Amino acid sequence: MKRRHGGRLGAGILVTGLLLTGCAGGNGVERTSDRGGGRHAPAVPDGGGRTGADAPEGEQRSRPPAADHLSTFALDVDTASYGYARRTLADGRLPDPATVRPEEFVNSFRPDYRRPEGDGFSVTVDGARSSDDGWSLVRVGLATRAAEPKGTRPPAALTFVVDISGSMAEPGRLDLVKESLGILTDELRDDDSVALVTFSNEAETVLPMSTVGENRERIHGLVDELATTSSTNVEAGVRTGYDVAVEGHRKGAVNRVVLLSDALANTGDTEAQSILNRIDEERREYGITLFGVGVGSDYGDAFMERLADKGDGHTTYVSTREQARKVFVEQLPTHIELRARDAKAQVAFDPATVERFRLIGYENREVADEDFRDDRVDGGEVGAGHTVTALYAVKTRPGRTGHLATATVRWLDPKTRAPHERSGTVGTAALTSSVWAAGHDSLQLTAVTAYFAERLRGGDLPGAPSLSELARYSAAIAERSRSKVVRELTEAIRQADRLHGPDGDAEPGDPYSG
């Protein structure tokens, strides 16, 4: 079983492909060197410690490394939280703080980390000063090798579980799902397999597992005929979907259940625990994982995210045709081709140089420190071409210099399940310049997204700029990089700033009041 602790923080929009240059050593930033995939050197020189999991849920924790200098978490490439927040802000509402997960905001963008040659990860660690009172930001960046050409990846066996309940009749729900499935049907290879399950108050197998090459037109026809009916029994849909996936399981293929829904369960088991147990059972026995695609202005974010977490999968959120095309043409293929199973990271801060630290986000992904090398404790599944970023607020000891932190990632080979590790280090020399100084666009963008998410959920990070200042930083990055996705981020920050009111306080009636 997973042992993850702390409050919840986790989903966002599709990974959109922004490539920004990382901070260079000439700017006072130390880039890591990789150390031995497959080696099992300790993640820290000495010592152990706890994760701080005993702190009250939701507490803004920063921990003294003398008592606990380790931070251990399962990797996460979810992005739904950011996408849903953007949709909510565009509708003129502040998002519910419970749906804001900083790691999913951060991981919605792709820094230009160096890529490894084989499976597994490269490790990049950099940082910069964030305030004048000893606080800095330290960023741990992990990247996998890009996807193989379309014809060389493993075949896929995909079971689509489609919500056709009454709530899906709203524009931007079932119509968007149907268009997305049509796009994907044209993108899949002839040797891929597809099954189709629908659910409302009950579930129905519309198409058992069938090869795409012989059934492409039939699949298009079945998708075109989808229409909404009554209530939302997610339990029935997921259970039936996994039954179909098990029956049509293909050895040597990537077997995945893709759930497309607003996740507003109102019939059957709406607490999801029995669904979670079933997902966990099939994941362990057959390697079937879950990819959740959320839609709708009202969206069961927590419900979908819990399902994907238990199914060792991922979530994303779409509200436009452009986003749907990116998810099903660009993102889903990367999920099909795995680079690492059960991936975990452990960051060891040096007590000689670090007074306190705090991981921004990942609360629900925490792993007990002693379980880092226990491969029975599962981590995250990471596909081809992904980046994973973890950002820390770190307070250094006055006048101390030298080693600051060592970051180690551990994963299992997707085919052989052999364990591998790779590490990178960073020193205090990386913190001599400000994160807002020229030449730090990549780290600045990570900082902007993390600070933005933290403000939306009501937190207060050391050295955090105001929303209006964040918007200015984001706009400047967008102008320099000519990035559409950073322009979208800038607009979202400005919308949040307007909703917060002139003094930075939430206006009456929004989720922050009372």
Side-chain angles (χ1 to χ4, degrees), residues 69-85:
H69 58 275
L70 295 178
S71 171
T72 309
F73 58 95
L75 301 196
D76 187 4
V77 295
D78 288 351
T79 58
S81 179
Y82 175 63
Y84 188 45

Side-chain angles (χ1 to χ4, degrees), residues 290-507:
L290 180 69
F291 181 40
V293 181
V295 296
S297 56
D298 292 317
Y299 166 56
D301 169 79
F303 189 84
M304 180 74 87
E305 204 277 335
R306 286 184 67 207
L307 291 175
D309 254 10
K310 194 72 171 183
D312 267 355
H314 317 293
T315 63
T316 191
Y317 176 87
V318 297
S319 60
T320 67
R321 292 181 176 181
E322 181 182 12
Q323 291 170 2
R325 177 170 290 277
K326 287 181 178 179
V327 167
F328 286 96
V329 175
E330 299 174 16
Q331 188 176 16
L332 187 56
T334 67
H335 289 311
I336 290 174
E337 190 177 344
L338 283 182
R339 289 284 182 258
R341 292 188 182 275
D342 288 330
K344 311 184 193 85
Q346 186 170 88
V347 182
F349 290 93
D350 193 329
T353 55
V354 175
E355 181 180 313
R356 305 186 73 82
F357 68 90
R358 178 188 161 200
L359 174 60
I360 303 171
Y362 288 97
E363 283 89 343
N364 77 315
R365 308 292 290 179
E366 288 186 359
V367 174
D369 294 334
E370 62 271 20
D371 288 341
F372 177 61
R373 293 192 172 90
D374 185 346
D375 296 326
R376 296 170 298 178
V377 178
D378 64 292
E381 314 300 296
V382 182
H386 276 296
T387 61
V388 181
T389 299
L391 190 67
Y392 289 86
V394 177
K395 187 170 187 180
T396 54
R397 298 187 184 279
R400 300 292 182 87
T401 60
H403 175 256
L404 189 73
T406 296
T408 302
V409 59
R410 180 181 178 88
W411 72 94
L412 303 183
D413 183 275
K415 297 177 181 177
T416 67
R417 301 192 70 84
H420 299 274
E421 291 185 10
R422 186 156 289 161
S423 296
T425 63
V426 67
T428 56
L431 310 180
T432 56
S433 63
S434 169
V435 67
W436 308 117
H440 285 254
D441 277 9
S442 177
L443 184 57
Q444 280 183 21
L445 181 61
T446 300
V448 167
T449 53
Y451 283 138
F452 177 38
E454 194 66 19
R455 183 57 189 269
L456 287 176
R457 68 172 184 165
D460 186 19
L461 287 169
S466 67
L467 285 172
S468 60
E469 290 171 322
L470 289 176
R472 286 198 295 273
Y473 288 129
S474 180
I477 297 170
E479 182 176 356
R480 289 191 292 268
S481 64
R482 298 181 180 180
S483 167
K484 179 181 178 181
V485 294
V486 181
R487 289 198 300 270
E488 292 170 346
L489 170 66
T490 304
E491 179 57 27
I493 297 172
R494 287 171 175 163
Q495 289 165 337
D497 193 24
R498 290 192 290 269
L499 290 167
H500 267 262
D503 298 321
D505 295 325
E507 296 184 352

Side-chain angles (χ1 to χ4, degrees), residues 221-241:
L222 292 172
V223 168
D224 290 342
E225 292 173 1
L226 295 177
T228 57
T229 56
S230 54
S231 55
T232 311
N233 190 337
V234 177
E235 177 192 12
V238 172
R239 284 182 174 275
T240 302

Side-chain angles (χ1 to χ4, degrees), residues 236-260:
V238 172
R239 284 182 174 275
T240 302
Y242 270 83
D243 286 341
V244 171
V246 169
E247 184 176 349
H249 181 268
R250 289 181 60 181
K251 189 174 182 180
V254 176
N255 293 267
R256 182 141 304 186
V257 170
V258 182
L259 175 61
L260 302 104

Side-chain angles (χ1 to χ4, degrees), residues 44-385:
V44 295
D46 291 297
R50 301 178 300 124
T51 62
D54 297 332
E57 184 172 332
E59 178 180 316
Q60 306 293 326
R61 296 164 295 168
S62 58
R63 299 167 297 201
D68 174 14
H69 58 275
L70 295 178
S71 171
T72 309
F73 58 95
L75 301 196
D76 187 4
V77 295
D78 288 351
T79 58
S81 179
Y82 175 63
Y84 188 45
R86 279 186 53 216
R87 165 67 183 266
T88 304
L89 289 166
D91 287 344
R93 298 176 290 123
L94 287 168
D96 181 345
T99 69
V100 176
R101 295 180 286 275
E103 72 274 22
E104 299 188 16
F105 277 54
V106 168
N107 285 321
S108 294
F109 300 85
R110 287 182 181 170
D112 190 20
Y113 302 137
R114 184 176 52 80
R115 302 281 176 174
E117 294 182 0
D119 285 341
F121 300 89
S122 64
V123 183
T124 300
V125 191
D126 58 10
R129 181 168 36 84
S130 58
S131 69
D132 294 328
D133 57 356
W135 284 96
S136 298
L137 295 177
V138 172
R139 180 175 65 166
V140 177
L142 309 173
T144 60
R145 182 167 51 92
E148 301 294 342
K150 183 177 177 180
T152 60
R153 66 163 171 80
L158 306 175
T159 302
F160 292 98
V161 180
V162 181
D163 185 349
I164 59 169
S165 62
S167 62
M168 292 289 288
E170 175 193 287
R173 298 195 186 195
L174 186 58
D175 58 335
L176 191 58
V177 167
K178 291 169 66 173
E179 182 169 353
S180 301
L181 290 179
I183 292 170
L184 181 64
T185 299
D186 290 332
E187 290 293 320
L188 290 173
R189 296 190 326 216
D190 287 349
D191 62 339
D192 290 328
S193 298
V194 165
L196 180 62
V197 172
T198 60
F199 69 92
S200 54
N201 60 322
E202 295 180 346
E204 178 184 359
T205 302
V206 177
L207 178 71
M209 194 66 71
S210 307
T211 55
V212 173
E214 299 173 354
N215 296 277
R216 202 179 298 270
E217 292 306 315
R218 182 185 179 196
I219 295 168
H220 273 297
L222 292 172
V223 168
D224 290 342
E225 292 173 1
L226 295 177
T228 57
T229 56
S230 54
S231 55
T232 311
N233 190 337
V234 177
E235 177 192 12
V238 172
R239 284 182 174 275
T240 302
Y242 270 83
D243 286 341
V244 171
V246 169
E247 184 176 349
H249 181 268
R250 289 181 60 181
K251 189 174 182 180
V254 176
N255 293 267
R256 182 141 304 186
V257 170
V258 182
L259 175 61
L260 302 104
S261 174
D262 58 18
L264 300 176
N266 56 25
T267 302
D269 188 347
T270 59
E271 296 301 320
Q273 191 55 53
S274 63
I275 308 175
L276 298 176
N277 291 340
R278 175 61 190 277
I279 290 174
D280 190 52
E281 176 184 326
E282 308 302 358
R283 176 193 63 78
R284 292 176 182 275
E285 184 170 354
Y286 295 98
I288 299 171
T289 54
L290 180 69
F291 181 40
V293 181
V295 296
S297 56
D298 292 317
Y299 166 56
D301 169 79
F303 189 84
M304 180 74 87
E305 204 277 335
R306 286 184 67 207
L307 291 175
D309 254 10
K310 194 72 171 183
D312 267 355
H314 317 293
T315 63
T316 191
Y317 176 87
V318 297
S319 60
T320 67
R321 292 181 176 181
E322 181 182 12
Q323 291 170 2
R325 177 170 290 277
K326 287 181 178 179
V327 167
F328 286 96
V329 175
E330 299 174 16
Q331 188 176 16
L332 187 56
T334 67
H335 289 311
I336 290 174
E337 190 177 344
L338 283 182
R339 289 284 182 258
R341 292 188 182 275
D342 288 330
K344 311 184 193 85
Q346 186 170 88
V347 182
F349 290 93
D350 193 329
T353 55
V354 175
E355 181 180 313
R356 305 186 73 82
F357 68 90
R358 178 188 161 200
L359 174 60
I360 303 171
Y362 288 97
E363 283 89 343
N364 77 315
R365 308 292 290 179
E366 288 186 359
V367 174
D369 294 334
E370 62 271 20
D371 288 341
F372 177 61
R373 293 192 172 90
D374 185 346
D375 296 326
R376 296 170 298 178
V377 178
D378 64 292
E381 314 300 296
V382 182

